[in-house]
Amino acid sequence: EQLHLQRNAIGCRGAVALVRSLAVHTPLLREIWLSENFLGDETLAELARHCHVNGPLTRLVILSLSYNRIVNALPLAGALWSGALKLQILALSHNSLSCESVFAVSTAMVHRPSGRSGSSQPKSHKSRSNVINIS
């Protein structure tokens, strides 16, 4: 249920292939740790693609992508806003995230869709314990 693949410099193409393989072969994965691998926007977009409603990686609760080369995290924010991805811990520190990405991801981690389509409301801090590491 866990993948720890840190400090391996697998790069963008290798990581995109890895994410596709994980989505097919390990759909019960709950933790992905891919820090310090020279990953970029393509990897995050591929990961987010498999984290949407009924996607194979929707069981993720921990995603660590610190110390990579990610600028655009909007696809991940979309997966969070859809309610399909229910991360408890998200680490994106030491990337080059755009201001728009920081705002979208941090807002999506705090506000989740309610039962009604298209609406969202913050949940009580007592009922959730999300950790967001974006620096």
Side-chain angles (χ1 to χ4, degrees):
E1 289 190 356
Q2 300 178 8
L3 172 69
H4 291 262
L5 189 62
Q6 300 167 318
R7 294 184 177 181
N8 287 288
I10 58 177
C12 285
R13 287 197 322 210
V16 167
L18 174 67
V19 168
R20 287 181 184 149
S21 178
L22 292 173
V24 172
H25 300 292
T26 57
L28 301 179
L29 206 57
R30 295 183 49 79
E31 298 181 19
I32 294 180
W33 301 79
L34 290 173
S35 299
E36 298 183 62
N37 279 297
F38 300 104
L39 308 181
D41 295 345
E42 300 86 0
T43 304
L44 191 61
E46 186 68 20
L47 186 63
R49 190 171 74 81
H50 294 290
C51 291
H52 280 282
V53 178
N54 296 324
L57 297 178
T58 56
R59 294 176 184 258
L60 284 178
V61 292
I62 297 176
L63 179 59
S64 176
L65 297 169
S66 297
Y67 292 94
N68 283 293
R69 296 179 176 168
I70 298 168
V71 176
N72 180 9
L74 295 177
L76 181 64
L80 290 164
W81 272 114
S82 74
L85 187 57
K86 296 170 179 62
L87 291 177
Q88 294 173 1
I89 297 174
L90 172 61
L92 288 169
S93 62
H94 300 281
N95 281 287
S96 298
L97 293 175
S98 67
C99 291
E100 183 181 19
S101 290
V102 171
F103 177 78
V105 169
S106 58
T107 303
M109 284 290 287
V110 174
H111 298 280
R112 297 292 169 94
S114 68
R116 294 186 312 263
S117 173
S119 66
S120 66
Q121 42 186 274
K123 292 195 175 187
S124 163
H125 291 288
K126 292 179 183 176
S127 66
R128 38 184 307 138
S129 57
N130 291 337
V131 176
I132 309 166
N133 182 356
I134 301 174
S135 58

